């Protein structure tokens, strides 16, 4: 089965599930700083890749939203925010990834 092939039931791709789990885990206070560095790298890479997929399939608005998310998590020019602010952003990012997953699934099912 192709990665973007439609299916009758909604599923989150493993490539999107990994950052979702990592973002959820990042809410806890006991992670070492290196964890957050890896999280930034993973989220940045996933968002750039998903923005490419969105743009390539003609969904420019999604591409822009995903590139903005990539900017938030970029490892080269990191945003300096408080832990509480990052917790809110992480939860919002999980919601964004869920919404993107659902939208991508719906887009694939509309093509058939």
């Amino acid at each position: 089965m192709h990665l973007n092939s439609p299916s009758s039931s909604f599923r989150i791709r493993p490539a999107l599930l990994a950052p979702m789990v990592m973002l959820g885990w990042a809410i806890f206070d006991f992670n070492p700083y290196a964890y957050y560095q890896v999280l930034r790298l993973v989220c940045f890479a996933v968002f750039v890749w998903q923005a490419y997929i969105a743009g390539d399939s003609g969904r420019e608005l999604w591409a822009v939203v995903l590139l903005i998310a990539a900017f938030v998590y970029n490892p080269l020019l990191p945003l300096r925010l408080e832990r509480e602010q990052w917790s809110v952003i992480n939860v919002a990012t999980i919601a964004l990834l869920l919404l993107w997953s659902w939208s991508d699934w719906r887009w694939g099912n509309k093509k058939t």
Side-chain angles (χ1 to χ4, degrees), residues 35-79:
Y35 180 83
Y36 299 103
Q37 291 175 314
V38 171
L39 175 65
R40 281 181 178 278
L41 187 61
V42 168
C43 287
F44 178 76
V46 167
F47 280 123
V48 169
W49 174 44
Q50 294 303 306
Y52 172 78
I53 290 171
D56 194 48
S57 62
R59 295 173 285 169
E60 290 81 14
L61 180 60
W62 267 115
V64 169
V65 168
L66 293 165
L67 283 174
I68 291 169
F71 173 75
V72 169
Y73 288 97
N74 86 81
L76 300 176
L77 298 170
L79 296 177

Side-chain angles (χ1 to χ4, degrees), residues 3-5 9 25-26 31 33 36 42 47 53 57 59 64 74 76 79 88 91 98 108-111:
L3 278 178
N4 285 329
S5 65
S9 61
W25 190 258
N31 296 306
Y33 185 71
Y36 299 103
V42 168
F47 280 123
I53 290 171
S57 62
R59 295 173 285 169
V64 169
N74 86 81
L76 300 176
L79 296 177
V88 171
V91 170
L98 282 170
N109 281 337
K110 285 181 182 178
K111 287 184 173 181

